[in-house]
Structure formats: C-alpha cells, structure tokens
C-alpha cells in the first residue's frame, strides 16, 4: 500500500494569477489596502478564512466573514469569465497516470480549497476518479494542522510510513511531517526551495518527470 496525497493550488493546478487578482479585488472592494501578489502567494494553501485573516492582519470574525464571501463571489464569477485559467502544471497529468499504474497505489488530495471547488476542478480536467480521498477545510482544520493527512490515511488504511505528501508550500510540508508521513516539495509553486527544505521536505523536485523516483527514494522502495 502506498498513499500519495497532492496539494492543488501551486502543485497540481496553476492558479497563481487568478488567486492573487481575486485577493486584490476582495480587499479593494472592502476599502482595504490590496495585498500585492507576493503577499497573497504567502498564504495560498491555508483555508480561506485563515488566509484572509492573515492578509488583513485581523482576527475580527465579522470582517473575515465579509472578505470570505466577497472572495468567493469573485471566484464564482471567474468560473464563467476566466475559463482556462485553472490549468494543470506541465507533466502533472502524465505523472498521475503513471502513478495510478503502480501496484497498491492510492492517490489523494489535501487542499485549502473548498470541496465544491475541488470537485469542479478535478471534473474540469477529467481526473476526479483518480483520487480516492479528498481532504478540504470543509471537514478538517487548516494546514499545517495534520488533520487532513490523518483523515486521508484513515479513509484509505495507509500507515504514515506508507504515505507521501506532495506540495509547494511550507504548510504542506509541515502538515505531512506532523502526520508522520514523508513529504516531497515541488519547486514551481509559492514558497522557495530553501524554505521547503527547512520545513522538513524529504526531497524537492523541479519537474513532474522526477516524482516517481522521488517517491521510491523517500519510501525506500526498490526500483523493481
């Protein structure tokens, strides 16, 4: 048994421009200083209320709730007006197709996105059936709390030593390691390689073609 759990934004799906634009519009619409893209990238991967609270530097529940609803409104509108801006990163689809052929392999998702958005995007790319467990903030604490990983392992029967988290932020790496799993970082996402290694990444890959070998290495599997 092997369980490989993927983050979405910044790991599988290239939504950086879309998310940072929506963050800026949300804050501007609330009469607040809009975060620059670099600031928004730092919080991608967290659950939406946590991310917006960090950007607003506020724990005002009312303000955060208004920002959350505004952001969701912008995103819902973009589904219609910004078609084609939620593409898979190069090599992602081929990597998923390869991994599905591994004996006793199960794939999962652990993301800051809501469950409805996850279903929509996976369906958009025809890969919803690839994943046996979908973990979101709808029923888990925000990353880097290990709850998503614990639930994914519980649903699939995988043990921590059989499990790998693949993500692009320190939140992903910290979540995976806190659950006792291995963690593989991708270098094309929202946090720098040095940060990912400091957070405990067992390996860093620069392209999806290297993922299979990285999984074998961190799980200490033979090539046979």
């Amino acid at each position: 048994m092997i369980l490989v759990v993927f983050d979405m934004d910044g790991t599988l799906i290239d939504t950086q421009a879309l998310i940072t634009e929506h963050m800026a519009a949300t804050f501007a619409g609330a009469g607040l200083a809009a975060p620059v893209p670099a600031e928004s990238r730092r919080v991608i991967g967290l659950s939406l209320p946590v991310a917006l609270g960090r950007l607003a530097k506020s724990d005002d529940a009312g303000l955060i709730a208004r920002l959350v609803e505004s952001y969701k409104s912008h995103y819902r509108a973009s589904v219609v007006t910004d078609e084609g801006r939620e593409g898979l990163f190069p090599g992602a689809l081929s990597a998923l197709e390869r991994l599905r052929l591994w004996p006793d392999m199960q794939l999962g998702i652990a993301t800051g996105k809501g469950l409805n958005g996850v279903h929509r995007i996976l369906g958009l790319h025809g890969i919803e059936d690839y994943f046996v467990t979908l973990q979101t903030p709808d029923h888990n604490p925000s990353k880097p709390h290990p709850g998503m990983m614990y639930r994914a392992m519980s649903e699939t029967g995988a043990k921590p030593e059989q499990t790998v988290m693949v993500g692009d932020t320190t939140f992903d790496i910290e979540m995976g390691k806190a659950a006792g799993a291995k963690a593989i970082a991708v270098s094309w996402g929202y946090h720098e390689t040095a940060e990912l290694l400091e957070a405990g990444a067992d390996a860093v890959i620069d392209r999806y073609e290297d993922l299979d070998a990285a999984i074998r290495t961190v799980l200490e599997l033979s090539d046979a």
Side-chain angles (χ1 to χ4, degrees), residues 57-222:
K57 298 180 176 62
S58 174
D59 57 5
D60 182 327
L63 171 62
I64 292 171
R66 291 192 296 275
L67 292 174
V68 166
E69 187 51 43
S70 175
Y71 180 90
K72 287 182 176 179
S73 295
H74 284 293
Y75 215 109
R76 283 193 293 266
S78 76
V79 172
V80 177
T81 61
D82 292 325
E83 184 178 356
R85 298 186 66 193
E86 296 172 308
L88 290 165
F89 279 102
L93 181 58
S94 294
L96 294 173
E97 290 174 342
R98 289 195 308 273
L99 291 177
R100 291 181 77 203
L101 299 177
W102 284 37
D104 300 319
M105 171 65 77
Q106 299 190 83
L107 302 180
I109 293 287
T111 177
K113 281 189 177 301
L115 188 58
N116 287 341
V118 171
H119 282 300
R120 181 183 61 78
I121 292 178
L122 296 182
L124 178 69
H125 293 287
I127 57 175
E128 192 162 14
D129 291 344
Y130 288 30
F131 302 97
V132 298
T133 180
L134 303 177
Q135 303 304 324
T136 74
D138 297 77
H139 46 266
N140 293 289
S142 175
K143 299 174 185 180
H145 188 283
M148 292 192 197
M149 295 298 290
Y150 287 143
R151 189 157 179 161
M153 290 187 287
S154 176
E155 288 183 359
T156 60
K159 298 177 181 178
E161 61 269 23
Q162 300 170 318
T163 303
V164 180
M165 177 65 204
V166 180
D168 69 297
T169 69
T170 58
F171 314 128
D172 300 316
I173 304 306
E174 290 167 1
M175 175 180 67
K177 299 300 288 185
K182 298 298 184 180
I184 296 175
V186 303
S187 64
W188 54 80
Y190 303 140
H191 289 181
E192 299 296 326
T193 296
E195 297 177 275
L196 298 167
L197 289 169
E198 187 175 350
D202 297 290
V204 180
I205 60 171
D206 297 321
R207 56 179 195 157
Y208 264 114
E209 287 77 5
D210 297 329
L211 180 58
D212 307 57
I215 292 170
R216 290 189 178 94
T217 297
V218 300
L219 292 181
E220 299 181 354
L221 304 174
S222 69

